[in-house]
Amino acid sequence: QVQLVESGGGLVQPGGSLRLSCAASGNIFSIVDMGWYRQAPGNQRELVAIINSGGNTNYADSVKGRFTISRVNAKNMVYLQMNSLKPEDTAVYYCNADVLHYGMRRDAYWGQGKQVTVSS
């Protein structure tokens, strides 16, 4: 079907920056929305940022002004630039894609998750 492969993440000090990337491949006619979610221990998975095929974006209030989501439609890739990171940003970050397949079926897919740890 469709695979989402994430890269980036890791350990960074408070105030630092990290960049996450996600590449989608497989039976893809187009991708409607691409987004990033995160889940910290003991918490539910939450939306961080989302971008549609037209480039319109939406962010969680907690990351506005610090994180930037972008995508390259021709490459089926989405990125999350994270600046001014805080310890509370520590979580596993998941890529999500709302995919329109050839044949016009529509499904949502998740990446495997990347750990982001913000600590001194």
PDB file of all heavy atoms in Angstrom, residues 45-77:
ATOM      1  N   ARG A  45      -2.010  10.880  21.825  1.00  0.00           N
ATOM      2  CA  ARG A  45      -1.384  11.447  20.633  1.00  0.00           C
ATOM      3  C   ARG A  45      -2.105  12.745  20.279  1.00  0.00           C
ATOM      4  O   ARG A  45      -3.333  12.810  20.281  1.00  0.00           O
ATOM      5  CB  ARG A  45      -1.457  10.454  19.474  1.00  0.00           C
ATOM      6  CG  ARG A  45      -0.610  10.816  18.283  1.00  0.00           C
ATOM      7  CD  ARG A  45      -0.588   9.699  17.250  1.00  0.00           C
ATOM      8  NE  ARG A  45       0.042   8.492  17.779  1.00  0.00           N
ATOM      9  CZ  ARG A  45       0.325   7.424  17.028  1.00  0.00           C
ATOM     10  NH1 ARG A  45       0.041   7.436  15.734  1.00  0.00           N
ATOM     11  NH2 ARG A  45       0.874   6.359  17.574  1.00  0.00           N
ATOM     12  N   GLU A  46      -1.319  13.778  19.956  1.00  0.00           N
ATOM     13  CA  GLU A  46      -1.899  15.083  19.657  1.00  0.00           C
ATOM     14  C   GLU A  46      -1.344  15.630  18.355  1.00  0.00           C
ATOM     15  O   GLU A  46      -0.205  15.340  17.974  1.00  0.00           O
ATOM     16  CB  GLU A  46      -1.603  16.073  20.786  1.00  0.00           C
ATOM     17  CG  GLU A  46      -0.132  16.365  21.006  1.00  0.00           C
ATOM     18  CD  GLU A  46       0.109  17.427  22.068  1.00  0.00           C
ATOM     19  OE1 GLU A  46      -0.845  17.910  22.693  1.00  0.00           O
ATOM     20  OE2 GLU A  46       1.301  17.767  22.269  1.00  0.00           O
ATOM     21  N   LEU A  47      -2.157  16.448  17.698  1.00  0.00           N
ATOM     22  CA  LEU A  47      -1.728  17.095  16.466  1.00  0.00           C
ATOM     23  C   LEU A  47      -0.703  18.173  16.783  1.00  0.00           C
ATOM     24  O   LEU A  47      -0.906  18.993  17.681  1.00  0.00           O
ATOM     25  CB  LEU A  47      -2.932  17.721  15.759  1.00  0.00           C
ATOM     26  CG  LEU A  47      -2.615  18.555  14.527  1.00  0.00           C
ATOM     27  CD1 LEU A  47      -2.098  17.681  13.395  1.00  0.00           C
ATOM     28  CD2 LEU A  47      -3.857  19.332  14.085  1.00  0.00           C
ATOM     29  N   VAL A  48       0.381  18.176  16.022  1.00  0.00           N
ATOM     30  CA  VAL A  48       1.386  19.230  16.118  1.00  0.00           C
ATOM     31  C   VAL A  48       1.184  20.241  14.993  1.00  0.00           C
ATOM     32  O   VAL A  48       1.091  21.438  15.227  1.00  0.00           O
ATOM     33  CB  VAL A  48       2.805  18.646  16.058  1.00  0.00           C
ATOM     34  CG1 VAL A  48       3.845  19.760  16.065  1.00  0.00           C
ATOM     35  CG2 VAL A  48       3.044  17.670  17.201  1.00  0.00           C
ATOM     36  N   ALA A  49       1.146  19.754  13.758  1.00  0.00           N
ATOM     37  CA  ALA A  49       0.994  20.633  12.595  1.00  0.00           C
ATOM     38  C   ALA A  49       0.482  19.818  11.429  1.00  0.00           C
ATOM     39  O   ALA A  49       0.753  18.620  11.329  1.00  0.00           O
ATOM     40  CB  ALA A  49       2.327  21.291  12.234  1.00  0.00           C
ATOM     41  N   ILE A  50      -0.240  20.490  10.537  1.00  0.00           N
ATOM     42  CA  ILE A  50      -0.792  19.816   9.377  1.00  0.00           C
ATOM     43  C   ILE A  50      -0.740  20.766   8.192  1.00  0.00           C
ATOM     44  O   ILE A  50      -0.821  21.989   8.370  1.00  0.00           O
ATOM     45  CB  ILE A  50      -2.236  19.329   9.660  1.00  0.00           C
ATOM     46  CG1 ILE A  50      -2.711  18.357   8.597  1.00  0.00           C
ATOM     47  CG2 ILE A  50      -3.191  20.495   9.816  1.00  0.00           C
ATOM     48  CD1 ILE A  50      -3.971  17.603   9.005  1.00  0.00           C
ATOM     49  N   ILE A  51      -0.557  20.202   6.989  1.00  0.00           N
ATOM     50  CA  ILE A  51      -0.473  21.014   5.777  1.00  0.00           C
ATOM     51  C   ILE A  51      -1.232  20.294   4.669  1.00  0.00           C
ATOM     52  O   ILE A  51      -1.091  19.073   4.510  1.00  0.00           O
ATOM     53  CB  ILE A  51       1.004  21.271   5.397  1.00  0.00           C
ATOM     54  CG1 ILE A  51       1.110  22.176   4.172  1.00  0.00           C
ATOM     55  CG2 ILE A  51       1.774  19.981   5.182  1.00  0.00           C
ATOM     56  CD1 ILE A  51       2.547  22.690   3.919  1.00  0.00           C
ATOM     57  N   ASN A  52      -2.030  21.034   3.907  1.00  0.00           N
ATOM     58  CA  ASN A  52      -2.749  20.394   2.807  1.00  0.00           C
ATOM     59  C   ASN A  52      -1.977  20.552   1.500  1.00  0.00           C
ATOM     60  O   ASN A  52      -0.915  21.176   1.458  1.00  0.00           O
ATOM     61  CB  ASN A  52      -4.179  20.909   2.714  1.00  0.00           C
ATOM     62  CG  ASN A  52      -4.272  22.373   2.303  1.00  0.00           C
ATOM     63  OD1 ASN A  52      -3.306  22.978   1.827  1.00  0.00           O
ATOM     64  ND2 ASN A  52      -5.455  22.952   2.475  1.00  0.00           N
ATOM     65  N   SER A  53      -2.509  19.993   0.442  1.00  0.00           N
ATOM     66  CA  SER A  53      -1.790  19.991  -0.833  1.00  0.00           C
ATOM     67  C   SER A  53      -1.621  21.390  -1.402  1.00  0.00           C
ATOM     68  O   SER A  53      -0.741  21.620  -2.232  1.00  0.00           O
ATOM     69  CB  SER A  53      -2.507  19.093  -1.847  1.00  0.00           C
ATOM     70  OG  SER A  53      -3.850  19.522  -2.018  1.00  0.00           O
ATOM     71  N   GLY A  54      -2.437  22.320  -0.942  1.00  0.00           N
ATOM     72  CA  GLY A  54      -2.314  23.699  -1.397  1.00  0.00           C
ATOM     73  C   GLY A  54      -1.354  24.530  -0.568  1.00  0.00           C
ATOM     74  O   GLY A  54      -1.141  25.713  -0.858  1.00  0.00           O
ATOM     75  N   GLY A  55      -0.792  23.926   0.476  1.00  0.00           N
ATOM     76  CA  GLY A  55       0.167  24.624   1.320  1.00  0.00           C
ATOM     77  C   GLY A  55      -0.430  25.324   2.522  1.00  0.00           C
ATOM     78  O   GLY A  55       0.284  26.010   3.259  1.00  0.00           O
ATOM     79  N   ASN A  56      -1.727  25.167   2.738  1.00  0.00           N
ATOM     80  CA  ASN A  56      -2.342  25.770   3.921  1.00  0.00           C
ATOM     81  C   ASN A  56      -1.975  24.967   5.159  1.00  0.00           C
ATOM     82  O   ASN A  56      -1.997  23.732   5.139  1.00  0.00           O
ATOM     83  CB  ASN A  56      -3.857  25.815   3.758  1.00  0.00           C
ATOM     84  CG  ASN A  56      -4.274  26.688   2.599  1.00  0.00           C
ATOM     85  OD1 ASN A  56      -3.900  27.846   2.510  1.00  0.00           O
ATOM     86  ND2 ASN A  56      -5.044  26.120   1.680  1.00  0.00           N
ATOM     87  N   THR A  57      -1.631  25.680   6.233  1.00  0.00           N
ATOM     88  CA  THR A  57      -1.120  25.023   7.428  1.00  0.00           C
ATOM     89  C   THR A  57      -1.978  25.322   8.658  1.00  0.00           C
ATOM     90  O   THR A  57      -2.702  26.327   8.703  1.00  0.00           O
ATOM     91  CB  THR A  57       0.317  25.475   7.724  1.00  0.00           C
ATOM     92  OG1 THR A  57       0.330  26.906   7.903  1.00  0.00           O
ATOM     93  CG2 THR A  57       1.248  25.114   6.585  1.00  0.00           C
ATOM     94  N   ASN A  58      -1.833  24.448   9.638  1.00  0.00           N
ATOM     95  CA  ASN A  58      -2.487  24.640  10.924  1.00  0.00           C
ATOM     96  C   ASN A  58      -1.555  24.076  11.988  1.00  0.00           C
ATOM     97  O   ASN A  58      -0.942  23.015  11.780  1.00  0.00           O
ATOM     98  CB  ASN A  58      -3.828  23.916  10.960  1.00  0.00           C
ATOM     99  CG  ASN A  58      -4.781  24.520  11.967  1.00  0.00           C
ATOM    100  OD1 ASN A  58      -4.482  25.531  12.582  1.00  0.00           O
ATOM    101  ND2 ASN A  58      -5.938  23.896  12.115  1.00  0.00           N
ATOM    102  N   TYR A  59      -1.440  24.794  13.114  1.00  0.00           N
ATOM    103  CA  TYR A  59      -0.514  24.398  14.168  1.00  0.00           C
ATOM    104  C   TYR A  59      -1.215  24.314  15.518  1.00  0.00           C
ATOM    105  O   TYR A  59      -2.167  25.049  15.794  1.00  0.00           O
ATOM    106  CB  TYR A  59       0.627  25.426  14.299  1.00  0.00           C
ATOM    107  CG  TYR A  59       1.528  25.526  13.108  1.00  0.00           C
ATOM    108  CD1 TYR A  59       1.261  26.424  12.081  1.00  0.00           C
ATOM    109  CD2 TYR A  59       2.660  24.722  12.997  1.00  0.00           C
ATOM    110  CE1 TYR A  59       2.101  26.525  10.975  1.00  0.00           C
ATOM    111  CE2 TYR A  59       3.510  24.818  11.909  1.00  0.00           C
ATOM    112  CZ  TYR A  59       3.216  25.719  10.903  1.00  0.00           C
ATOM    113  OH  TYR A  59       4.057  25.811   9.817  1.00  0.00           O
ATOM    114  N   ALA A  60      -0.700  23.441  16.365  1.00  0.00           N
ATOM    115  CA  ALA A  60      -1.123  23.456  17.755  1.00  0.00           C
ATOM    116  C   ALA A  60      -0.655  24.770  18.381  1.00  0.00           C
ATOM    117  O   ALA A  60       0.421  25.284  18.040  1.00  0.00           O
ATOM    118  CB  ALA A  60      -0.509  22.274  18.501  1.00  0.00           C
ATOM    119  N   ASP A  61      -1.445  25.299  19.295  1.00  0.00           N
ATOM    120  CA  ASP A  61      -1.083  26.578  19.929  1.00  0.00           C
ATOM    121  C   ASP A  61       0.284  26.493  20.599  1.00  0.00           C
ATOM    122  O   ASP A  61       1.038  27.467  20.612  1.00  0.00           O
ATOM    123  CB  ASP A  61      -2.143  26.964  20.964  1.00  0.00           C
ATOM    124  CG  ASP A  61      -3.447  27.416  20.326  1.00  0.00           C
ATOM    125  OD1 ASP A  61      -3.440  27.753  19.121  1.00  0.00           O
ATOM    126  OD2 ASP A  61      -4.470  27.423  21.028  1.00  0.00           O
ATOM    127  N   SER A  62       0.612  25.339  21.131  1.00  0.00           N
ATOM    128  CA  SER A  62       1.849  25.185  21.896  1.00  0.00           C
ATOM    129  C   SER A  62       3.112  25.292  21.041  1.00  0.00           C
ATOM    130  O   SER A  62       4.203  25.487  21.574  1.00  0.00           O
ATOM    131  CB  SER A  62       1.852  23.848  22.633  1.00  0.00           C
ATOM    132  OG  SER A  62       1.737  22.771  21.712  1.00  0.00           O
ATOM    133  N   VAL A  63       2.973  25.174  19.719  1.00  0.00           N
ATOM    134  CA  VAL A  63       4.158  25.210  18.847  1.00  0.00           C
ATOM    135  C   VAL A  63       4.150  26.382  17.871  1.00  0.00           C
ATOM    136  O   VAL A  63       5.127  26.580  17.133  1.00  0.00           O
ATOM    137  CB  VAL A  63       4.323  23.892  18.068  1.00  0.00           C
ATOM    138  CG1 VAL A  63       4.320  22.696  19.012  1.00  0.00           C
ATOM    139  CG2 VAL A  63       3.278  23.735  16.977  1.00  0.00           C
ATOM    140  N   LYS A  64       3.085  27.159  17.871  1.00  0.00           N
ATOM    141  CA  LYS A  64       3.009  28.296  16.944  1.00  0.00           C
ATOM    142  C   LYS A  64       4.171  29.246  17.160  1.00  0.00           C
ATOM    143  O   LYS A  64       4.518  29.586  18.285  1.00  0.00           O
ATOM    144  CB  LYS A  64       1.682  29.041  17.134  1.00  0.00           C
ATOM    145  CG  LYS A  64       0.495  28.353  16.502  1.00  0.00           C
ATOM    146  CD  LYS A  64      -0.790  29.150  16.728  1.00  0.00           C
ATOM    147  CE  LYS A  64      -1.985  28.438  16.102  1.00  0.00           C
ATOM    148  NZ  LYS A  64      -3.258  29.153  16.387  1.00  0.00           N
ATOM    149  N   GLY A  65       4.787  29.657  16.056  1.00  0.00           N
ATOM    150  CA  GLY A  65       5.915  30.575  16.126  1.00  0.00           C
ATOM    151  C   GLY A  65       7.252  29.884  16.339  1.00  0.00           C
ATOM    152  O   GLY A  65       8.302  30.531  16.219  1.00  0.00           O
ATOM    153  N   ARG A  66       7.221  28.596  16.654  1.00  0.00           N
ATOM    154  CA  ARG A  66       8.477  27.859  16.873  1.00  0.00           C
ATOM    155  C   ARG A  66       8.682  26.750  15.847  1.00  0.00           C
ATOM    156  O   ARG A  66       9.814  26.475  15.457  1.00  0.00           O
ATOM    157  CB  ARG A  66       8.477  27.245  18.278  1.00  0.00           C
ATOM    158  CG  ARG A  66       8.359  28.246  19.403  1.00  0.00           C
ATOM    159  CD  ARG A  66       8.555  27.576  20.763  1.00  0.00           C
ATOM    160  NE  ARG A  66       7.541  26.555  21.055  1.00  0.00           N
ATOM    161  CZ  ARG A  66       7.815  25.281  21.297  1.00  0.00           C
ATOM    162  NH1 ARG A  66       9.065  24.851  21.286  1.00  0.00           N
ATOM    163  NH2 ARG A  66       6.838  24.424  21.574  1.00  0.00           N
ATOM    164  N   PHE A  67       7.601  26.115  15.420  1.00  0.00           N
ATOM    165  CA  PHE A  67       7.680  25.008  14.472  1.00  0.00           C
ATOM    166  C   PHE A  67       7.146  25.453  13.112  1.00  0.00           C
ATOM    167  O   PHE A  67       6.211  26.268  13.036  1.00  0.00           O
ATOM    168  CB  PHE A  67       6.847  23.821  14.945  1.00  0.00           C
ATOM    169  CG  PHE A  67       7.360  23.097  16.150  1.00  0.00           C
ATOM    170  CD1 PHE A  67       8.389  23.610  16.932  1.00  0.00           C
ATOM    171  CD2 PHE A  67       6.808  21.876  16.516  1.00  0.00           C
ATOM    172  CE1 PHE A  67       8.860  22.938  18.044  1.00  0.00           C
ATOM    173  CE2 PHE A  67       7.261  21.181  17.628  1.00  0.00           C
ATOM    174  CZ  PHE A  67       8.287  21.721  18.391  1.00  0.00           C
ATOM    175  N   THR A  68       7.717  24.888  12.056  1.00  0.00           N
ATOM    176  CA  THR A  68       7.254  25.162  10.696  1.00  0.00           C
ATOM    177  C   THR A  68       7.110  23.853   9.937  1.00  0.00           C
ATOM    178  O   THR A  68       8.066  23.075   9.852  1.00  0.00           O
ATOM    179  CB  THR A  68       8.226  26.074   9.951  1.00  0.00           C
ATOM    180  OG1 THR A  68       8.393  27.299  10.676  1.00  0.00           O
ATOM    181  CG2 THR A  68       7.699  26.395   8.555  1.00  0.00           C
ATOM    182  N   ILE A  69       5.926  23.631   9.390  1.00  0.00           N
ATOM    183  CA  ILE A  69       5.687  22.455   8.562  1.00  0.00           C
ATOM    184  C   ILE A  69       5.740  22.873   7.100  1.00  0.00           C
ATOM    185  O   ILE A  69       5.298  23.961   6.733  1.00  0.00           O
ATOM    186  CB  ILE A  69       4.331  21.791   8.901  1.00  0.00           C
ATOM    187  CG1 ILE A  69       4.196  20.444   8.186  1.00  0.00           C
ATOM    188  CG2 ILE A  69       3.157  22.711   8.584  1.00  0.00           C
ATOM    189  CD1 ILE A  69       2.989  19.619   8.644  1.00  0.00           C
ATOM    190  N   SER A  70       6.328  22.009   6.271  1.00  0.00           N
ATOM    191  CA  SER A  70       6.389  22.259   4.840  1.00  0.00           C
ATOM    192  C   SER A  70       6.319  20.923   4.106  1.00  0.00           C
ATOM    193  O   SER A  70       6.510  19.869   4.711  1.00  0.00           O
ATOM    194  CB  SER A  70       7.678  23.007   4.471  1.00  0.00           C
ATOM    195  OG  SER A  70       8.820  22.251   4.832  1.00  0.00           O
ATOM    196  N   ARG A  71       6.031  20.982   2.808  1.00  0.00           N
ATOM    197  CA  ARG A  71       5.965  19.749   2.028  1.00  0.00           C
ATOM    198  C   ARG A  71       6.409  20.010   0.599  1.00  0.00           C
ATOM    199  O   ARG A  71       6.327  21.147   0.110  1.00  0.00           O
ATOM    200  CB  ARG A  71       4.558  19.137   2.059  1.00  0.00           C
ATOM    201  CG  ARG A  71       3.490  19.963   1.400  1.00  0.00           C
ATOM    202  CD  ARG A  71       2.097  19.380   1.619  1.00  0.00           C
ATOM    203  NE  ARG A  71       1.793  18.264   0.723  1.00  0.00           N
ATOM    204  CZ  ARG A  71       0.636  17.606   0.731  1.00  0.00           C
ATOM    205  NH1 ARG A  71      -0.313  17.924   1.615  1.00  0.00           N
ATOM    206  NH2 ARG A  71       0.419  16.610  -0.125  1.00  0.00           N
ATOM    207  N   VAL A  72       6.869  18.948  -0.042  1.00  0.00           N
ATOM    208  CA  VAL A  72       7.202  18.971  -1.457  1.00  0.00           C
ATOM    209  C   VAL A  72       6.292  17.947  -2.119  1.00  0.00           C
ATOM    210  O   VAL A  72       6.516  16.732  -2.001  1.00  0.00           O
ATOM    211  CB  VAL A  72       8.684  18.645  -1.698  1.00  0.00           C
ATOM    212  CG1 VAL A  72       8.979  18.630  -3.199  1.00  0.00           C
ATOM    213  CG2 VAL A  72       9.571  19.674  -0.996  1.00  0.00           C
ATOM    214  N   ASN A  73       5.259  18.421  -2.783  1.00  0.00           N
ATOM    215  CA  ASN A  73       4.252  17.516  -3.334  1.00  0.00           C
ATOM    216  C   ASN A  73       4.837  16.551  -4.359  1.00  0.00           C
ATOM    217  O   ASN A  73       4.481  15.374  -4.380  1.00  0.00           O
ATOM    218  CB  ASN A  73       3.117  18.317  -3.973  1.00  0.00           C
ATOM    219  CG  ASN A  73       2.281  19.057  -2.941  1.00  0.00           C
ATOM    220  OD1 ASN A  73       2.196  18.639  -1.782  1.00  0.00           O
ATOM    221  ND2 ASN A  73       1.675  20.157  -3.355  1.00  0.00           N
ATOM    222  N   ALA A  74       5.754  17.042  -5.180  1.00  0.00           N
ATOM    223  CA  ALA A  74       6.318  16.202  -6.243  1.00  0.00           C
ATOM    224  C   ALA A  74       7.111  15.023  -5.683  1.00  0.00           C
ATOM    225  O   ALA A  74       7.285  14.011  -6.365  1.00  0.00           O
ATOM    226  CB  ALA A  74       7.193  17.035  -7.153  1.00  0.00           C
ATOM    227  N   LYS A  75       7.583  15.173  -4.443  1.00  0.00           N
ATOM    228  CA  LYS A  75       8.376  14.111  -3.822  1.00  0.00           C
ATOM    229  C   LYS A  75       7.599  13.382  -2.729  1.00  0.00           C
ATOM    230  O   LYS A  75       8.151  12.492  -2.077  1.00  0.00           O
ATOM    231  CB  LYS A  75       9.669  14.678  -3.234  1.00  0.00           C
ATOM    232  CG  LYS A  75      10.612  15.254  -4.269  1.00  0.00           C
ATOM    233  CD  LYS A  75      11.914  15.715  -3.624  1.00  0.00           C
ATOM    234  CE  LYS A  75      12.891  16.221  -4.663  1.00  0.00           C
ATOM    235  NZ  LYS A  75      14.188  16.667  -4.042  1.00  0.00           N
ATOM    236  N   ASN A  76       6.360  13.768  -2.493  1.00  0.00           N
ATOM    237  CA  ASN A  76       5.554  13.168  -1.427  1.00  0.00           C
ATOM    238  C   ASN A  76       6.288  13.216  -0.092  1.00  0.00           C
ATOM    239  O   ASN A  76       6.342  12.223   0.646  1.00  0.00           O
ATOM    240  CB  ASN A  76       5.164  11.722  -1.775  1.00  0.00           C
ATOM    241  CG  ASN A  76       4.183  11.633  -2.924  1.00  0.00           C
ATOM    242  OD1 ASN A  76       3.342  12.527  -3.100  1.00  0.00           O
ATOM    243  ND2 ASN A  76       4.281  10.590  -3.717  1.00  0.00           N
ATOM    244  N   MET A  77       6.843  14.373   0.197  1.00  0.00           N
ATOM    245  CA  MET A  77       7.604  14.534   1.435  1.00  0.00           C
ATOM    246  C   MET A  77       7.032  15.676   2.265  1.00  0.00           C
ATOM    247  O   MET A  77       6.538  16.663   1.727  1.00  0.00           O
ATOM    248  CB  MET A  77       9.074  14.796   1.149  1.00  0.00           C
ATOM    249  CG  MET A  77       9.785  13.597   0.540  1.00  0.00           C
ATOM    250  SD  MET A  77      11.578  13.689   0.667  1.00  0.00           S
ATOM    251  CE  MET A  77      11.825  13.517   2.438  1.00  0.00           C
TER     252      MET A  77
END
